[in-house]
mmCIF file of all heavy atoms in Angstrom:
data_model
loop_
_atom_site.group_PDB
_atom_site.id
_atom_site.type_symbol
_atom_site.label_atom_id
_atom_site.label_comp_id
_atom_site.label_asym_id
_atom_site.label_seq_id
_atom_site.Cartn_x
_atom_site.Cartn_y
_atom_site.Cartn_z
ATOM 1 N N ARG A 376 -1.929 7.354 5.478
ATOM 2 C CA ARG A 376 -1.703 8.255 6.609
ATOM 3 C C ARG A 376 -2.355 9.561 6.343
ATOM 4 O O ARG A 376 -2.157 10.180 5.292
ATOM 5 C CB ARG A 376 -0.228 8.449 6.868
ATOM 6 C CG ARG A 376 0.088 9.153 8.145
ATOM 7 C CD ARG A 376 1.562 9.131 8.496
ATOM 8 N NE ARG A 376 1.668 9.798 9.781
ATOM 9 C CZ ARG A 376 2.822 10.344 10.171
ATOM 10 N NH1 ARG A 376 3.828 10.443 9.440
ATOM 11 N NH2 ARG A 376 2.870 10.956 11.385
ATOM 12 N N PHE A 608 18.270 10.315 11.464
ATOM 13 C CA PHE A 608 17.063 10.484 12.259
ATOM 14 C C PHE A 608 17.150 9.545 13.492
ATOM 15 O O PHE A 608 16.836 9.907 14.558
ATOM 16 C CB PHE A 608 15.759 10.261 11.531
ATOM 17 C CG PHE A 608 15.268 11.477 10.795
ATOM 18 C CD1 PHE A 608 15.992 11.931 9.644
ATOM 19 C CD2 PHE A 608 14.259 12.231 11.289
ATOM 20 C CE1 PHE A 608 15.578 13.133 9.005
ATOM 21 C CE2 PHE A 608 13.821 13.423 10.623
ATOM 22 C CZ PHE A 608 14.513 13.895 9.541
ATOM 23 N N ALA A 628 12.567 6.899 14.504
ATOM 24 C CA ALA A 628 12.213 8.114 13.753
ATOM 25 C C ALA A 628 10.690 8.429 13.865
ATOM 26 O O ALA A 628 10.401 9.619 13.997
ATOM 27 C CB ALA A 628 12.541 7.883 12.233
ATOM 28 N N LEU A 631 10.414 10.176 17.107
ATOM 29 C CA LEU A 631 11.013 11.512 16.991
ATOM 30 C C LEU A 631 10.091 12.474 16.346
ATOM 31 O O LEU A 631 9.859 13.669 16.832
ATOM 32 C CB LEU A 631 12.309 11.475 16.287
ATOM 33 C CG LEU A 631 13.098 12.810 16.202
ATOM 34 C CD1 LEU A 631 13.600 13.154 17.575
ATOM 35 C CD2 LEU A 631 14.333 12.705 15.207
ATOM 36 N N GLU A 632 9.423 12.073 15.255
ATOM 37 C CA GLU A 632 8.404 12.983 14.634
ATOM 38 C C GLU A 632 7.237 13.260 15.602
ATOM 39 O O GLU A 632 6.797 14.433 15.576
ATOM 40 C CB GLU A 632 7.860 12.292 13.377
ATOM 41 C CG GLU A 632 6.833 13.178 12.569
ATOM 42 C CD GLU A 632 6.108 12.398 11.525
ATOM 43 O OE1 GLU A 632 6.445 11.287 11.163
ATOM 44 O OE2 GLU A 632 5.019 12.984 11.121
ATOM 45 N N HIS A 689 13.943 19.013 12.905
ATOM 46 C CA HIS A 689 13.093 18.832 11.727
ATOM 47 C C HIS A 689 13.228 20.121 10.823
ATOM 48 O O HIS A 689 13.381 20.046 9.609
ATOM 49 C CB HIS A 689 11.627 18.543 11.995
ATOM 50 C CG HIS A 689 11.444 17.094 12.308
ATOM 51 N ND1 HIS A 689 11.681 16.509 13.563
ATOM 52 C CD2 HIS A 689 10.924 16.055 11.564
ATOM 53 C CE1 HIS A 689 11.355 15.256 13.532
ATOM 54 N NE2 HIS A 689 10.807 14.940 12.339
ATOM 55 N N GLY A 717 11.706 6.465 1.948
ATOM 56 C CA GLY A 717 11.000 6.200 3.105
ATOM 57 C C GLY A 717 11.068 7.196 4.166
ATOM 58 O O GLY A 717 10.123 7.275 5.057
ATOM 59 N N VAL A 718 12.137 8.028 4.327
ATOM 60 C CA VAL A 718 12.184 9.042 5.306
ATOM 61 C C VAL A 718 11.032 10.002 5.221
ATOM 62 O O VAL A 718 10.610 10.655 6.211
ATOM 63 C CB VAL A 718 13.527 9.726 5.300
ATOM 64 C CG1 VAL A 718 13.553 11.055 6.179
ATOM 65 C CG2 VAL A 718 14.662 8.802 5.850
ATOM 66 N N PHE A 719 10.519 10.186 3.991
ATOM 67 C CA PHE A 719 9.432 11.093 3.805
ATOM 68 C C PHE A 719 8.068 10.550 4.172
ATOM 69 O O PHE A 719 7.043 11.172 3.986
ATOM 70 C CB PHE A 719 9.450 11.671 2.381
ATOM 71 C CG PHE A 719 10.599 12.671 2.193
ATOM 72 C CD1 PHE A 719 11.782 12.344 1.612
ATOM 73 C CD2 PHE A 719 10.500 13.870 2.834
ATOM 74 C CE1 PHE A 719 12.813 13.238 1.475
ATOM 75 C CE2 PHE A 719 11.647 14.837 2.721
ATOM 76 C CZ PHE A 719 12.784 14.484 2.008
ATOM 77 N N GLN A 720 8.074 9.324 4.787
ATOM 78 C CA GLN A 720 6.825 8.937 5.526
ATOM 79 C C GLN A 720 6.666 9.936 6.711
ATOM 80 O O GLN A 720 5.581 10.003 7.224
ATOM 81 C CB GLN A 720 6.983 7.551 6.001
ATOM 82 C CG GLN A 720 7.000 6.482 4.849
ATOM 83 C CD GLN A 720 7.242 5.101 5.325
ATOM 84 O OE1 GLN A 720 6.270 4.281 5.389
ATOM 85 N NE2 GLN A 720 8.422 4.834 5.725
ATOM 86 N N ASN A 721 7.657 10.535 7.094
ATOM 87 C CA ASN A 721 7.752 11.554 8.104
ATOM 88 C C ASN A 721 6.971 12.736 7.547
ATOM 89 O O ASN A 721 7.455 13.470 6.731
ATOM 90 C CB ASN A 721 9.100 11.928 8.544
ATOM 91 C CG ASN A 721 9.257 12.871 9.660
ATOM 92 O OD1 ASN A 721 8.409 13.816 9.721
ATOM 93 N ND2 ASN A 721 10.194 12.819 10.551
ATOM 94 N N SER A 722 5.772 12.948 8.044
ATOM 95 C CA SER A 722 4.949 14.042 7.367
ATOM 96 C C SER A 722 5.349 15.400 7.783
ATOM 97 O O SER A 722 5.143 16.347 7.027
ATOM 98 C CB SER A 722 3.397 13.717 7.723
ATOM 99 O OG SER A 722 3.236 14.066 9.009
ATOM 100 N N LEU A 723 5.953 15.553 8.886
ATOM 101 C CA LEU A 723 6.476 16.836 9.317
ATOM 102 C C LEU A 723 7.669 17.269 8.436
ATOM 103 O O LEU A 723 7.643 18.364 7.873
ATOM 104 C CB LEU A 723 6.844 16.842 10.814
ATOM 105 C CG LEU A 723 7.493 18.120 11.302
ATOM 106 C CD1 LEU A 723 6.487 19.293 11.245
ATOM 107 C CD2 LEU A 723 7.911 18.017 12.795
ATOM 108 N N LEU A 724 8.543 16.361 8.205
ATOM 109 C CA LEU A 724 9.677 16.642 7.347
ATOM 110 C C LEU A 724 9.145 16.940 5.852
ATOM 111 O O LEU A 724 9.631 17.893 5.267
ATOM 112 C CB LEU A 724 10.672 15.477 7.324
ATOM 113 C CG LEU A 724 11.858 15.782 6.473
ATOM 114 C CD1 LEU A 724 12.885 16.785 7.169
ATOM 115 C CD2 LEU A 724 12.682 14.443 6.212
ATOM 116 N N SER A 725 8.247 16.069 5.414
ATOM 117 C CA SER A 725 7.643 16.348 4.106
ATOM 118 C C SER A 725 7.049 17.715 3.900
ATOM 119 O O SER A 725 7.281 18.380 2.987
ATOM 120 C CB SER A 725 6.502 15.357 3.841
ATOM 121 O OG SER A 725 7.063 14.103 3.641
ATOM 122 N N GLU A 726 6.303 18.125 4.996
ATOM 123 C CA GLU A 726 5.701 19.423 5.004
ATOM 124 C C GLU A 726 6.728 20.567 4.910
ATOM 125 O O GLU A 726 6.557 21.493 4.154
ATOM 126 C CB GLU A 726 4.775 19.495 6.267
ATOM 127 C CG GLU A 726 3.864 20.659 6.350
ATOM 128 C CD GLU A 726 3.197 20.611 7.721
ATOM 129 O OE1 GLU A 726 2.784 19.514 8.163
ATOM 130 O OE2 GLU A 726 3.107 21.684 8.323
#
Side-chain angles (χ1 to χ4, degrees):
R376 188 170 187 208
F608 275 75
L631 185 67
E632 181 194 346
H689 278 78
V718 166
F719 288 103
Q720 294 178 101
N721 181 323
S722 70
L723 178 58
L724 184 72
S725 286
E726 190 183 317

